[in-house]
Amino acid sequence: MHAQILVDWSTSVKPGDKVLLRVNPGAYELALAVTAELAKRKASVVYSLEDDDLTRAYLFASEKGDVPEPNHFKALVEASDVIMGLYAPSDLKTLQSTDPAKLMAYKKARRNIFDCLMKKRWCDTIHPCKAFADQANMSFNEYKEFVYGAVLVDWDLQSKHMYVLKHKLGQHNEIRIIGKGTDLHARTDGRQWRVDDAKMNLPGGEVYTSPVEDSVEGKILLDIPFRYQGTIIENVRLKFEKGIVTDYSAEKGEQMLNAILDVDDGSSRIGELAFGMNPGIKRATLNMLFDEKMTGTMHLALGKGLIDCNGTNDSAIHVDILRNLRSTEIRMGEETIYTDGRFM
Amino acid sequence: MHAQILVDWSTSVKPGDKVLLRVNPGAYELALAVTAELAKRKASVVYSLEDDDLTRAYLFASEKGDVPEPNHFKALVEASDVIMGLYAPSDLKTLQSTDPAKLMAYKKARRNIFDCLMKKRWCDTIHPCKAFADQANMSFNEYKEFVYGAVLVDWDLQSKHMYVLKHKLGQHNEIRIIGKGTDLHARTDGRQWRVDDAKMNLPGGEVYTSPVEDSVEGKILLDIPFRYQGTIIENVRLKFEKGIVTDYSAEKGEQMLNAILDVDDGSSRIGELAFGMNPGIKRATLNMLFDEKMTGTMHLALGKGLIDCNGTNDSAIHVDILRNLRSTEIRMGEETIYTDGRFM
């Protein structure tokens, strides 16, 4: 079922499509299942092996600043029609002792590839694995149920729900978020609200935009912990002036937050504003692919804006950070669109 | 050490090289070690995951004849400077129940990619695995010692030895092999003798040519067993007249030998004549990557000739078959170049 949704709903694979599967070793079983579905649809397939262990081995042995662009990988991505990421890391802490400057250089060297990938039909998903189960503080079986609860959704129906919200949001030009530690304002005129109905992420379930970058003013508390390059970052507070982060703090992982903001000019600006809409995701599991879709949350991203929303912010990174919407009010113009834990 | 030899000796990786590692899941540890060496040399690296399981899953689900060309993989190969194959199959029998027609279609769809790959700096090697150890009838530890004994050779020195032989062989225009069940003659004028000193295969260790196809006359006993498409073939006797096999027998697998000779016109003609020169390989393990380099053996191949030797024979196949050189004399013109188990 998971493989079928990926191939049919998420990426609409057609005969002759050239499909790239980006595979963690732990996602091998899912790769086999997807392979069979691709063969039935007469698509061709290539597998790129990807894993934090390999990244770590590379960066550990490299000199600082020495990360050449893998242009041959770009050629592969360019020649592909559909790109699926099948993730199942064996160890989430693999990169935590790697020099953050080297990691950033590594990401920068892959930036053109990422840009190119985003223009394809692409979808990222996970295969249940022990590392994610541990991170979610669940047993492996419990975690499998959680994953498939989020993935095996009636996407056609859920898509319709999300489009209703998207149209509502699109009628306004500004948004204001008010709540504990938070009073943030941004303009959204000229920007598109979009729906992630599992066509790019599986699970999907989010309605998002890139707000007008320079218009972001005020402060926000992002109270749901997340992991970046192996480090937990918690209770992030950001202050924006004319769209730029001018003050920040984090209860945990502040050094990593600082590194994120320092990557480039764009990494201290907003790239995304979004609401989680997956009915199967009711708790955070420290996995952004799931957390950002959690019902009753919003998130913003530092870094690269979303081209499909007319976002213009440029950056090598895009880092999502979440806020629980409990006791938060969201206003668009004069209208309150969210309060008391739900959309009006 | 294995990784260092691959990167420095076999493929001469330079700063900025774009390296593609074609990796079986079982060769992951070697991929990590190679990755570190590539990082030190400021090369970039991409990993393609390859495995018979994936091929089987694809072909099992596909309709007969439906194997589209993976042109995106070709784009990757074309954009690479160096391509290494790191093999460690989990199961050597995975493909044995797959429809041979589907397998042929699969190979055909990859033919252009293979041609493109051959023009790059490339090297194939293995990482010790249980499947190969079983096939060699060795314990895993014994097999690891065997593999590293064959791989961790002083290639600079061994290369010099092989070039001495190559120059010697190149001074003559004909070769005659005399011994038990054997009196074979062939001309080599206009052909090049070449050295495999671990620049394309690791382990390397062979001096080879494509003799003048029509000149091959006489009989030969090839007494070292080998495996072809899952079948063991043993004690092959071939009789050549004007370069064509006119009579043959095998103590085991004669039916498969017959099938080989029947593939096309070229498969009953000679494509290669070669001497094994790896000092670390002293026994056969049913793995041609190693067996063909065994000290004290020669082999001929039925089928496709070697372009780099000026070979002209055309065929869809190239099947190496080995003879132990114990009590064999090899003459070139009037000169005896091999007798009493060693080159003069």
Side-chain angles (χ1 to χ4, degrees):
Chain A
M1 275 299 290
H2 189 175
Q4 274 178 41
I5 292 174
L6 266 175
V7 166
D8 289 334
W9 174 267
S10 300
T11 60
S12 307
V13 170
K14 300 183 304 284
D17 271 347
K18 293 177 283 298
V19 179
L20 167 61
L21 298 188
R22 305 175 63 197
V23 184
N24 280 167
Y28 194 72
E29 291 299 317
L30 180 57
L32 283 171
V34 172
T35 295
E37 299 302 327
L38 293 173
K40 286 180 203 161
R41 285 155 192 80
K42 307 183 200 303
S44 64
V45 55
V46 169
Y47 312 83
S48 71
L49 181 67
E50 305 189 22
D51 201 69
D52 285 352
D53 279 341
L54 294 166
T55 306
R56 184 184 176 282
Y58 191 91
L59 293 179
F60 189 78
S62 71
E63 283 172 42
K64 202 169 268 193
D66 264 332
V67 182
E69 275 188 62
N71 286 322
H72 47 335
F73 192 56
K74 188 170 179 225
L76 170 61
V77 169
E78 273 174 350
S80 301
D81 300 305
V82 172
I83 298 167
M84 297 182 205
L86 312 184
Y87 299 104
S90 57
D91 188 338
L92 303 175
K93 293 173 184 150
T94 301
L95 291 175
Q96 73 184 10
S97 60
T98 304
D99 179 346
K102 282 185 175 179
L103 265 176
M104 288 302 163
Y106 185 84
K107 291 223 160 186
K108 259 188 187 165
R110 272 156 180 73
R111 177 182 175 160
N112 285 328
I113 298 167
F114 187 68
D115 287 350
C116 178
L117 189 154
M118 299 284 282
K119 290 173 195 154
K120 307 288 178 174
R121 278 176 281 149
W122 62 272
C123 187
D124 284 341
T125 194
I126 75 151
H127 185 60
C129 63
K130 300 240 167 158
F132 279 148
D134 284 350
Q135 177 174 250
N137 198 25
M138 294 183 198
S139 75
F140 188 48
N141 280 324
E142 191 185 359
Y143 187 66
K144 276 199 277 193
E145 281 166 26
F146 167 78
V147 168
Y148 294 121
V151 162
L152 307 182
V153 163
D154 179 343
W155 285 110
D156 199 26
L157 180 68
Q158 192 58 24
S159 178
K160 288 188 179 85
H161 289 330
M162 288 191 280
Y163 272 95
V164 171
L165 178 63
K166 166 195 147 67
H167 291 305
K168 183 81 188 162
L169 295 168
Q171 287 161 9
H172 295 278
N173 289 324
E174 52 182 342
I175 188 164
R176 188 174 166 194
I177 301 151
I178 306 157
K180 186 184 170 196
T182 300
D183 188 353
L184 195 79
H185 174 271
R187 298 199 59 86
T188 57
D189 36 328
R191 303 307 167 94
Q192 283 291 325
W193 286 92
R194 297 278 178 190
V195 165
D196 175 5
D197 50 359
K199 303 254 175 185
M200 291 179 295
N201 287 175
L202 186 63
E206 105 179 89
V207 180
Y208 60 93
T209 195
S210 282
V212 177
E213 293 77 9
D214 291 346
S215 75
V216 183
E217 289 283 346
K219 60 180 183 173
I220 188 163
L221 166 63
L222 299 154
D223 54 359
I224 299 178
F226 69 107
R227 192 189 288 267
Y228 191 74
Q229 310 283 21
T231 300
I232 302 273
I233 308 179
E234 206 169 314
N235 280 329
V236 169
R237 288 172 193 269
L238 299 174
K239 184 178 170 192
F240 287 89
E241 291 179 76
K242 292 181 183 162
I244 301 170
V245 174
T246 55
D247 197 15
Y248 66 89
S249 68
E251 273 178 29
K252 276 190 190 166
E254 192 171 279
Q255 201 180 348
M256 182 60 85
L257 179 62
N258 179 36
I260 291 168
L261 292 164
D262 266 1
V263 168
D264 50 30
D265 282 351
S267 71
S268 56
R269 292 166 178 270
I270 205 161
E272 183 186 2
L273 192 69
F275 299 102
M277 300 279 287
N278 186 310
I281 307 178
K282 286 160 190 152
R283 54 188 280 195
T285 59
L286 281 178
N287 181 345
M288 198 50 74
L289 186 70
F290 288 75
D291 290 357
E292 65 174 359
K293 280 81 170 204
M294 190 175 15
T295 301
T297 68
M298 63 157 288
H299 59 278
L300 60 78
L302 293 172
K304 191 161 178 62
L306 304 164
I307 294 163
D308 60 344
C309 302
N310 305 331
T312 61
N313 196 35
D314 196 19
S315 175
I317 62 169
H318 176 102
V319 180
D320 296 301
I321 319 179
L322 276 75
R323 174 180 171 87
N324 196 311
L325 287 179
R326 216 171 17 223
S327 67
T328 300
E329 184 184 343
I330 297 169
R331 290 188 208 153
M332 299 200 76
E334 295 303 304
E335 192 180 359
T336 293
I337 64 152
Y338 190 99
T339 188
D340 291 333
R342 58 191 197 86
F343 285 99
M344 304 300 281
Chain B
M1 272 299 290
H2 189 176
Q4 274 179 41
I5 292 174
L6 266 174
V7 166
D8 288 333
W9 175 266
S10 301
T11 59
S12 308
V13 170
K14 301 183 302 285
D17 271 347
K18 293 176 284 298
V19 178
L20 168 60
L21 299 188
R22 304 174 64 196
V23 183
N24 281 166
Y28 193 72
E29 291 298 319
L30 180 57
L32 282 171
V34 173
T35 295
E37 299 302 326
L38 293 173
K40 285 180 202 161
R41 284 152 192 83
K42 307 182 202 303
S44 64
V45 55
V46 169
Y47 313 84
S48 72
L49 181 66
E50 305 191 23
D51 200 70
D52 285 352
D53 278 342
L54 294 166
T55 306
R56 184 184 175 282
Y58 191 91
L59 293 179
F60 189 78
S62 72
E63 284 172 42
K64 202 170 265 191
D66 265 335
V67 183
E69 274 188 59
N71 286 323
H72 48 333
F73 192 56
K74 189 169 178 224
L76 172 60
V77 168
E78 273 174 348
S80 300
D81 300 304
V82 171
I83 298 167
M84 298 182 204
L86 312 184
Y87 299 105
S90 55
D91 187 338
L92 302 175
K93 292 172 184 151
T94 301
L95 290 174
Q96 75 184 11
S97 61
T98 304
D99 180 348
K102 282 185 174 178
L103 262 178
M104 278 302 167
Y106 185 85
K107 288 204 174 179
K108 222 172 164 183
R110 273 156 180 72
R111 192 176 170 152
N112 285 328
I113 297 168
F114 187 68
D115 287 350
C116 178
L117 188 155
M118 299 284 283
K119 290 173 197 154
K120 306 289 178 172
R121 276 176 280 151
W122 62 273
C123 186
D124 284 341
T125 194
I126 74 153
H127 185 60
C129 63
K130 299 238 165 157
F132 280 147
D134 283 350
Q135 178 175 251
N137 198 26
M138 293 184 198
S139 74
F140 186 49
N141 279 325
E142 192 184 0
Y143 188 66
K144 277 198 278 191
E145 281 166 26
F146 167 79
V147 168
Y148 293 121
V151 163
L152 306 183
V153 163
D154 180 344
W155 286 109
D156 197 26
L157 180 68
Q158 192 59 23
S159 178
K160 287 189 179 87
H161 288 331
M162 289 191 279
Y163 271 96
V164 169
L165 178 63
K166 167 196 147 68
H167 290 305
K168 184 85 188 160
L169 295 168
Q171 286 163 8
H172 295 278
N173 289 324
E174 52 183 343
I175 187 164
R176 189 174 165 194
I177 301 151
I178 307 158
K180 186 183 170 198
T182 300
D183 189 353
L184 194 79
H185 174 271
R187 298 198 60 85
T188 57
D189 36 327
R191 302 308 167 94
Q192 282 291 326
W193 286 92
R194 296 278 178 191
V195 165
D196 174 5
D197 51 358
K199 303 255 176 186
M200 291 179 295
N201 288 173
L202 185 62
E206 123 179 70
V207 180
Y208 59 93
T209 194
S210 283
V212 178
E213 293 77 9
D214 291 347
S215 75
V216 183
E217 290 282 348
K219 61 181 181 173
I220 187 162
L221 167 63
L222 299 154
D223 54 1
I224 298 178
F226 69 106
R227 192 191 289 268
Y228 189 73
Q229 294 194 345
T231 300
I232 301 276
I233 308 179
E234 205 169 315
N235 279 329
V236 169
R237 286 171 194 270
L238 299 174
K239 184 177 170 193
F240 287 89
E241 292 178 76
K242 291 183 184 160
I244 301 172
V245 174
T246 56
D247 197 14
Y248 65 90
S249 68
E251 272 177 29
K252 276 191 190 165
E254 190 170 281
Q255 202 178 349
M256 183 59 85
L257 178 61
N258 179 36
I260 290 169
L261 292 164
D262 265 2
V263 168
D264 51 30
D265 283 352
S267 72
S268 56
R269 292 166 177 272
I270 206 161
E272 183 185 2
L273 191 71
F275 299 102
M277 300 280 286
N278 186 312
I281 307 179
K282 287 161 188 152
R283 55 189 281 196
T285 58
L286 284 177
N287 181 345
M288 200 49 78
L289 185 70
F290 287 75
D291 290 357
E292 64 174 0
K293 281 86 172 199
M294 190 173 17
T295 299
T297 69
M298 61 159 288
H299 59 279
L300 59 77
L302 293 172
K304 192 163 178 60
L306 303 165
I307 293 164
D308 60 344
C309 303
N310 304 331
T312 63
N313 196 36
D314 196 18
S315 174
I317 61 170
H318 178 101
V319 181
D320 295 301
I321 319 179
L322 277 75
R323 174 180 170 88
N324 195 313
L325 287 179
R326 216 174 13 226
S327 68
T328 300
E329 184 183 343
I330 297 169
R331 291 188 206 152
M332 298 200 76
E334 296 303 305
E335 191 180 1
T336 293
I337 63 152
Y338 190 98
T339 188
D340 292 332
R342 59 191 197 87
F343 285 99
M344 305 299 281

